[in-house]
């Protein structure tokens, strides 16, 4: 099946009837494999529309059918269900599901799912303030994703690692993550990079304020071009702290005013800001 485009959010309400129709046809023909595919697509549409309750119900239905038939989508569905349960903050309930997704990924030889489940597991342990387990899970996620050639998942895991290292001011960890992220930018295409703000924070912690400022300016231009207002708010927060540290508090104040006018809450370099995969894909 084709990869979902990053525009799934705006398009989800339009395409949602299609997987519902496919599910009806699959049920009429008793085609369990196609019904599972349709349910998975439906869950991704609901997720893109932030209808997590509906997405969870569809995923549970898909998981029951996939488990009964030992369908190859079982690890992926289990991972999505764990992420759906945990992301609002109910990580205690999500942990067993994510661990099961890892076990199923190993059983079905799907290392990409193992990597993504480890990444989400890292966020779970981070939310529970278990920094050691979080770093271990995120490191495993980055290594596994890189080994499978999943560059976006690798960068997401590394960005989460970066947030932890930046918050703890661990320069050795920041330097290692920076080297790995910069090496990956060649493969991703540096011109359209959703991780420029992460790179800027790493530059900042490592003392390269000029390099950090340049990256933030590029991130600012990119976020305006793509109308990514969530990223824009974070850029204003990071840029304000950078300006203070570089001896320009008046400019920083202007940045904070602009940021607050955009509906932002106060923030600073060093707060742990988990990232996750923002694109939904059927692999």
């Amino acid at each position: 099946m084709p990869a979902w485009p990053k525009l799934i959010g705006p398009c989800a309400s339009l395409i949602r009837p299609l997987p519902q129709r496919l599910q009806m046809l699959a049920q009429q023909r008793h085609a369990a494999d196609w019904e599972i595919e349709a349910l998975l697509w439906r869950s991704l549409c609901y997720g893109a529309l932030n209808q997590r309750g509906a997405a969870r119900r569809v995923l549970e239905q898909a998981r029951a059918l996939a488990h009964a038939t030992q369908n190859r989508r079982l690890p992926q569905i289990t991972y999505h269900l764990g992420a759906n349960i945990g992301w609002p903050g109910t990580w205690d309930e999500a942990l067993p599901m994510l661990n099961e997704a890892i076990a199923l990924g190993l059983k079905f030889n799907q290392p990409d799912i193992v990597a993504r489940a480890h990444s989400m597991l890292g966020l779970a342990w981070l939310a529970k303030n278990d920094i050691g387990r979080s770093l271990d899970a995120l490191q495993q996620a980055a290594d596994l994703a890189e080994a499978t050639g999943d560059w976006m998942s690798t960068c997401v895991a590394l960005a989460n690692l970066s947030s932890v290292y930046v918050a703890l001011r661990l320069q050795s960890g920041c330097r290692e993550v920076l080297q790995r992220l910069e090496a990956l930018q060649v493969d991703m295409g540096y011109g359209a990079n959703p991780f420029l703000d992460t790179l800027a924070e790493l530059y900042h912690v490592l003392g390269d304020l000029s390099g950090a400022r340049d990256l933030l300016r590029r991130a600012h231009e990119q976020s305006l071009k793509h109308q990514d207002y969530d990223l824009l708010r974070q850029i204003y927060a990071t840029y304000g702290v950078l300006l203070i540290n570089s001896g320009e508090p008046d400019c920083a104040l202007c940045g904070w005013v602009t940021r607050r006018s955009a509906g932002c809450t106060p923030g600073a370099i060093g707060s742990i800001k988990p990232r996750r995969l923002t694109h939904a894909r059927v692999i």
Side-chain angles (χ1 to χ4, degrees):
M1 299 178 73
W4 282 73
K6 295 184 72 174
L7 294 175
I8 186 173
C11 299
S13 60
L14 298 176
I15 63 178
R16 185 173 57 182
L18 299 179
Q20 290 176 318
R21 178 59 178 165
L22 177 60
Q23 183 184 357
M24 291 176 57
L25 292 172
Q27 288 174 336
Q28 292 171 4
R29 290 164 174 75
H30 304 286
D33 289 349
W34 279 104
E35 185 174 357
I36 291 168
E37 298 287 346
L39 287 167
L40 184 54
W41 280 66
R42 284 186 64 190
S43 73
L44 294 174
C45 285
Y46 283 129
L49 294 169
N50 291 319
Q51 298 178 11
R52 296 194 175 277
R56 177 172 179 173
R57 289 191 295 272
V58 172
L59 283 168
E60 288 173 341
Q61 185 180 351
R63 184 169 180 271
L65 187 56
H67 186 272
T69 59
Q70 287 296 289
N71 185 276
R72 67 184 181 89
R73 294 290 191 193
L74 182 58
Q76 184 181 4
I77 292 168
T78 304
Y79 158 71
H80 280 299
L81 184 56
N84 176 277
I85 293 170
W87 193 247
T90 50
W91 292 110
D92 286 333
E93 186 181 357
L95 281 171
M97 193 68 65
L98 293 171
N99 282 317
E100 184 176 349
I102 291 172
L104 288 168
L106 293 171
K107 176 183 176 181
F108 283 79
N109 192 28
Q110 296 179 10
D112 55 328
I113 298 301
V114 176
R116 294 184 184 196
H118 270 296
S119 191
M120 194 61 64
L121 199 62
L123 298 184
W125 289 120
L126 181 60
K128 294 170 69 64
N129 294 317
D130 193 329
I131 302 300
R133 286 187 178 182
S134 175
L135 289 173
D136 182 62
L138 290 170
Q139 188 68 62
Q140 288 187 64
D143 292 343
L144 286 168
E146 190 169 8
T148 61
D150 188 345
W151 307 126
M152 180 60 78
S153 293
T154 305
C155 287
V156 168
L158 288 173
N160 284 320
L161 271 173
S162 167
S163 291
V164 180
Y165 287 140
V166 166
L168 298 176
R169 289 298 193 271
L170 293 177
Q171 289 201 357
S172 59
C174 288
R175 191 171 291 105
E176 178 188 352
V177 171
L178 178 61
Q179 290 172 350
R180 294 182 68 179
L181 273 175
E182 287 191 321
L184 288 169
Q185 307 316 311
V186 177
D187 297 298
M188 290 182 62
Y190 214 98
N193 186 341
F195 299 98
L196 289 175
D197 62 319
T198 297
L199 292 169
E201 288 195 342
L202 291 168
Y203 271 62
H204 179 270
V205 172
L206 294 172
D208 187 349
L209 300 184
S210 176
R213 181 184 303 205
D214 178 62
L215 285 164
L216 283 172
R217 283 173 174 164
R218 290 166 58 191
H220 181 262
E221 294 173 359
Q222 181 175 294
S223 61
L224 287 175
K225 178 180 179 181
H226 297 287
Q227 298 184 347
D228 188 343
Y229 297 113
D230 288 335
L231 179 58
L232 189 61
R233 294 184 184 105
Q234 180 54 43
I235 289 167
Y236 283 134
T238 305
Y239 200 28
V241 176
L242 175 62
L243 289 170
I244 285 180
N245 289 350
S246 60
E248 301 176 65
D250 292 338
C251 294
L253 179 60
C254 293
W256 279 332
V257 170
T258 306
R259 175 168 52 85
R260 284 173 176 167
S261 69
C264 308
T265 55
I269 294 176
S271 59
I272 299 180
K273 304 176 294 301
R275 287 180 182 263
R276 64 175 298 184
L277 284 171
T278 56
H279 65 307
R281 292 196 301 171
V282 178
I283 301 171

